[in-house]
């Protein structure tokens, strides 16, 4: 996930959740956290929890669980990367 443009991840501190900072991605695409989470589910088949589910200070963050198999986690990261690549390509086409 660390190599996906617009997403910053810090190593988790003991839990099996990743709290990803997607603020730069949101700024680039004019999406909200809630809309990004919905599009990831609808378009990429990846379930995330928008940080706003935990309060207003969660805007710009997504919560992901990594309590799955390595294969499933790699596939989820691949899908997120492909989704972001499509977003970026669409932005380039609008320019």
């Amino acid at each position: 996930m660390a190599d996906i443009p617009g997403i910053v991840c810090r190593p988790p501190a003991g839990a099996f959740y990743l709290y990803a900072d997607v603020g730069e991605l949101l700024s680039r695409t004019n999406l909200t956290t809630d809309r990004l989470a919905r599009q990831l589910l609808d378009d990429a088949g990846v379930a995330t929890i928008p940080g706003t589910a935990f309060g207003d200070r969660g805007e710009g963050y997504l919560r992901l669980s990594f309590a799955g198999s390595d294969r499933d986690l790699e596939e989820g990261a691949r899908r997120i990367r492909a989704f972001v690549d499509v977003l970026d390509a669409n932005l380039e086409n609008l320019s």
Side-chain angles (χ1 to χ4, degrees):
M1 295 275 300
D3 67 337
I4 300 173
I7 300 177
V8 178
C9 300
R10 292 192 180 111
F16 52 89
Y17 296 106
L18 183 65
Y19 211 51
D21 180 344
V22 293
E24 194 274 321
L25 179 61
L26 297 179
S27 294
R28 212 169 60 229
T29 60
N30 290 319
L31 292 172
T32 64
T33 303
D34 291 342
R35 184 69 187 145
L36 177 60
R38 170 54 62 187
Q39 281 191 242
L40 278 167
L41 181 60
D42 291 346
D43 298 346
V46 176
T48 65
I49 304 291
T52 53
F54 305 100
D56 292 340
R57 294 179 61 198
E59 181 64 38
Y61 293 88
L62 292 176
R63 182 171 148 173
L64 299 95
S65 171
F66 58 91
S69 70
D70 287 347
R71 190 179 88 168
D72 288 344
L73 297 175
E74 289 169 5
E75 176 62 17
R78 185 197 65 74
R79 290 180 185 193
I80 292 170
R81 175 58 184 243
F83 174 82
V84 171
D85 288 346
V86 168
L87 283 180
D88 286 340
N90 289 339
L91 288 173
E92 285 181 21
N93 290 335
L94 294 174
S95 298

